[in-house]
Amino acid sequence: MRFKAKCIWLVLLSVVAVSAIVLTFRFSEETMHYHNRFTRRFPQHTAEKVATADLRFNSYYFAGYEGDRIYLGNTTAPLQIMEIDSGLQSKKVYHIELYEKDLPFQAPRIRVDGNRFYVFEGNAPYIYRGSTHNWKAHRMLQSGRYFSQFEPVDSSHIALRYIQDNGESLIGILNVSDTMQPSFGYEILEKQFDGIFDTDGSLHTDKTNQQLLYVYRYRNQYILADKEAKVISRGNTIDTISRAQVNIIAVPSHKKKTFSKPPLIVNKSSTYYGGLLFVNSLLPGRYEDAALWQSSSIVDVYEVSSDSYRSSFAIADVHGKKMRSMLAVAGRLYVLTDNQLDCYMLRDHLTQSRPAATQH
């Protein structure tokens, strides 16, 4: 009997121990997700570099993608576009022809959307549109409000970040197949103190769902909206900076405002694809190695629909320089660092129904 009782006690203790471990894990998961504790997960082999291309110059930027092709614009050759395959093996360079050449472009940019492309200059404001079959474009807009960011939503809608007369930012949707009159999303950006610096951020679009996403630069929030500029939801990144820590002063001689000291950048750059938001954060979390931050850039991944943090991974510096920008496309992440373009293969756990646990 004594032996039987001992066995029963051992079984009970085992059940209690296992239950405690399960409850502790579930509690830690809940704390990570819903209480926004600033602790990152770094699963192994989340992003693996599979290809590299030397672009020779550091003036390239991501202009878009179509199928298995990535497009890069060039700030020093503004009407030149580079097409490169998804494996970074084959490159082609095209020169864009504008039918109307009398506009005073200063720093035009390019966006590729399927078989269409746009050339725009928000400081003018001008927009050209053309086909990637011949890389020739006609002017479709040459007046209206000034804008600072431009992203196609679908074949007839464009999301823009407009600049109002008082300098504040305002998100709007331009219907290019209708009256060319924008619909404004007055509730998308939330002013904290000036509506200029405190609402700065990055505009993205999801062509599959025809939605737009805005990620604040100086605070831990992103906003999902539809193509009518109506807010769908608001989410948070895992850091704790909910109010922009920016100090500004007026410069009377130039009639503008500027920073009185370097601002605290929360979300340096970002990209959005397939419901996943990738953010290059500049704020270390708890227990993170300083050496990791000195030699790499950290990317946090979020599932926007559930406002949940999935995991993080590091992008190694190139010749001592940090990544400049990134573009997520169909299970891959493309990264620009100095004059180099890298392709990372993303692991399956990023698209599973629940995030991966940290591996040791």
Side-chain angles (χ1 to χ4, degrees):
M1 290 296 294
R2 231 180 246 182
F3 176 77
K4 185 177 180 180
K6 187 179 291 186
C7 289
I8 293 174
W9 273 109
L10 286 174
V11 171
L12 288 174
L13 288 173
S14 298
V15 171
V16 171
V18 171
S19 300
I21 291 172
V22 171
L23 289 173
T24 300
F25 177 77
R26 292 191 63 181
F27 178 77
S28 65
E29 286 288 299
E30 183 179 353
T31 300
M32 179 79 76
H33 273 286
Y34 304 111
H35 296 284
N36 206 24
R37 295 285 295 278
F38 194 15
T39 303
R40 287 188 171 89
R41 298 187 186 92
F42 287 96
Q44 294 180 6
H45 312 301
T46 300
E48 178 185 359
K49 186 189 292 189
V50 294
T52 297
D54 182 1
L55 302 177
R56 296 183 59 197
F57 305 104
N58 63 1
S59 52
Y60 286 97
Y61 63 90
F62 290 115
Y65 65 91
E66 166 60 15
D68 61 350
R69 300 182 299 276
I70 305 299
Y71 291 96
L72 301 174
N74 190 331
T75 56
T76 59
L79 294 183
Q80 175 182 294
I81 190 83
M82 177 185 289
E83 176 187 284
I84 185 167
D85 70 294
S86 59
L88 310 188
Q89 299 300 310
S90 174
K91 303 175 188 175
K92 295 180 181 179
V93 175
Y94 301 98
H95 295 277
I96 294 172
E97 180 180 342
L98 303 180
Y99 283 107
E100 298 89 355
K101 302 178 182 180
D102 58 337
L103 300 182
F105 273 144
Q106 295 180 0
R109 304 280 282 191
I110 303 169
R111 283 292 180 272
V112 179
D113 177 35
N115 59 7
R116 297 176 300 276
F117 74 94
Y118 299 87
V119 180
F120 57 94
E121 169 67 275
N123 292 326
Y126 304 127
I127 301 176
Y128 283 77
R129 182 171 61 178
S131 170
T132 58
H133 297 302
N134 58 16
W135 295 103
K136 296 180 180 180
H138 288 278
R139 186 171 59 205
M140 56 174 281
L141 180 70
Q142 68 175 54
S143 63
R145 295 172 177 256
Y146 298 115
F147 59 89
S148 55
Q149 293 191 37
F150 175 110
E151 293 295 337
V153 180
D154 58 26
S155 60
S156 58
H157 294 84
I158 298 170
L160 300 105
R161 188 180 73 177
Y162 288 99
I163 304 172
Q164 302 186 80
D165 293 339
N166 61 3
E168 296 183 12
S169 296
L170 175 64
I171 302 298
I173 301 292
L174 187 66
N175 188 338
V176 298
S177 64
D178 192 10
T179 61
M180 299 292 285
Q181 293 298 318
S183 299
F184 296 113
Y186 292 101
E187 297 180 353
I188 294 179
L189 302 182
E190 295 181 319
K191 177 179 176 179
Q192 290 186 330
F193 50 84
D194 76 336
I196 302 174
F197 296 101
D198 60 353
T199 59
D200 191 18
S202 300
L203 178 63
H204 306 286
T205 54
D206 181 351
K207 300 174 182 61
T208 301
N209 298 318
Q210 297 182 353
Q211 296 173 339
L212 63 93
L213 186 78
Y214 192 83
V215 184
Y216 285 121
R217 183 174 176 83
Y218 302 115
R219 47 175 146 152
N220 64 344
Q221 191 181 73
Y222 52 85
I223 308 99
L224 183 67
D226 61 23
K227 67 176 183 179
E228 303 300 325
K230 304 296 184 182
V231 174
I232 298 173
S233 63
R234 297 181 189 273
N236 293 97
T237 53
I238 59 174
D239 55 82
T240 58
I241 309 300
S242 59
R243 185 172 180 81
Q245 298 186 18
V246 176
N247 295 295
I248 55 177
I249 57 173
V251 183
S253 60
H254 293 80
K255 296 183 179 180
K256 65 179 183 179
K257 297 178 180 179
T258 188
F259 298 119
S260 61
K261 65 178 182 180
L264 179 64
I265 299 175
V266 177
N267 304 312
K268 178 185 176 184
S269 63
S270 53
T271 182
Y272 182 51
Y273 182 87
L276 294 178
L277 170 63
F278 299 78
V279 176
N280 174 206
S281 173
L282 291 190
L283 300 182
R286 295 187 303 172
Y287 317 124
E288 293 175 9
D289 188 354
L292 176 67
W293 283 82
Q294 292 172 359
S295 61
S296 58
S297 298
I298 304 302
V299 176
D300 300 325
V301 186
Y302 302 88
E303 184 181 59
V304 171
S305 63
S306 61
D307 184 23
S308 61
Y309 164 67
R310 308 309 297 273
S311 62
S312 301
F313 55 88
I315 299 294
D317 295 351
V318 176
H319 307 306
K321 296 186 177 181
K322 303 289 182 185
M323 61 177 285
R324 294 190 285 115
S325 60
M326 54 186 171
L327 176 70
V329 181
R332 297 182 181 223
L333 185 72
Y334 296 90
V335 176
L336 283 170
T337 308
D338 196 27
N339 62 347
Q340 183 169 304
L341 174 62
D342 294 319
C343 175
Y344 288 81
M345 186 68 69
L346 302 174
R347 293 310 179 193
D348 292 339
H349 79 76
L350 286 177
T351 56
Q352 292 174 351
S353 60
R354 72 187 189 94
T358 304
Q359 301 177 20
H360 298 285

